[in-house]
Amino acid sequence: VAILVGVRVNRPQHRSPWLFFAAGLSSFLIADICYYVLELVAGEEGPAFPSIADFFYLCMYPLVIVGLVRMLRQVAPGRDYASLIDAAVVGISIFGTVWVVWVDDVVDAPFDSVAGLITQVAYPVMDVALFTVAARLVVGLHLRRRPLAFMVGALGSLAIADTAYGFYNTQGTFET
């Protein structure tokens, strides 16, 4: 709601990135609502994994990624291969580290279904994709603006939370 109000009040020249961010955050909110309703219904066992909540959580990523890409194309038109390569190096490095440290263990863990395995692996993959696009935005523009710092901090916090969730969920020790 705050993003939509901000778009209406500030009337940015390019609204579409902000609308994608609002859609992504709305998807995250719907996911949280679904998760907690499912948790109330399931009781102590907790909701099944994967659930409809995971669908909405994972839908958030492409929406925010599209918003970031649109923002990038609007504030830095043209081709900047150097910063694209820099962001790719960051993304590949992070993905390699995440795979070795965490995803490899997830893949080896027992799952009740293929959907559970795919969903569990999708979270860190989407985190890395999101962080790579954000890195492209930061590296390519060389901006030191506070909103950009907040956005990168929020994406980093999301990645940390997803990693903790995945770790505890894989161990079977996750509690809300």
Side-chain angles (χ1 to χ4, degrees):
V1 170
I3 290 174
L4 295 176
V5 169
V7 167
R8 181 151 172 91
V9 169
N10 296 312
R11 301 179 197 268
Q13 183 179 3
H14 304 286
R15 297 174 20 176
S16 66
W18 299 105
L19 298 178
F20 276 101
F21 295 152
L25 291 175
S26 296
S27 181
F28 199 85
L29 175 64
I30 291 168
D32 271 350
I33 291 169
C34 289
Y35 182 85
Y36 291 113
V37 166
L38 290 171
E39 186 179 57
L40 286 173
V41 170
E44 274 189 38
E45 295 176 12
F49 181 81
S51 70
I52 188 71
D54 293 297
F55 170 78
F56 284 108
Y57 281 128
L58 290 171
C59 282
M60 179 269 309
Y61 289 98
L63 291 168
V64 173
I65 287 171
V66 168
L68 288 171
V69 169
R70 285 181 173 250
M71 180 177 282
L72 179 65
R73 289 182 184 252
Q74 291 165 357
V75 297
R79 308 228 185 266
D80 181 7
Y81 293 113
S83 59
L84 179 64
I85 291 169
D86 289 343
V89 168
V90 168
I92 291 168
S93 300
I94 292 172
F95 183 75
T97 303
V98 166
W99 189 273
V100 168
V101 170
W102 185 62
V103 175
D104 195 36
D105 291 337
V106 169
V107 172
D108 292 337
F111 279 94
D112 294 336
S113 67
V114 173
L117 174 63
I118 291 170
T119 302
Q120 193 66 44
V121 171
Y123 281 105
V125 169
M126 294 304 285
D127 280 329
V128 171
L130 187 62
F131 203 76
T132 302
V133 173
R136 169 65 175 93
L137 186 64
V138 171
V139 170
L141 300 178
H142 306 290
L143 293 178
R144 303 288 184 247
R145 295 184 182 162
R146 188 173 296 154
L148 188 59
F150 283 136
M151 184 180 296
V152 172
L155 295 177
S157 298
L158 178 65
I160 290 168
D162 281 350
T163 302
Y165 170 76
F167 174 77
Y168 290 117
N169 196 33
T170 303
Q171 302 298 319
T173 59
F174 177 75
E175 292 183 29
T176 304

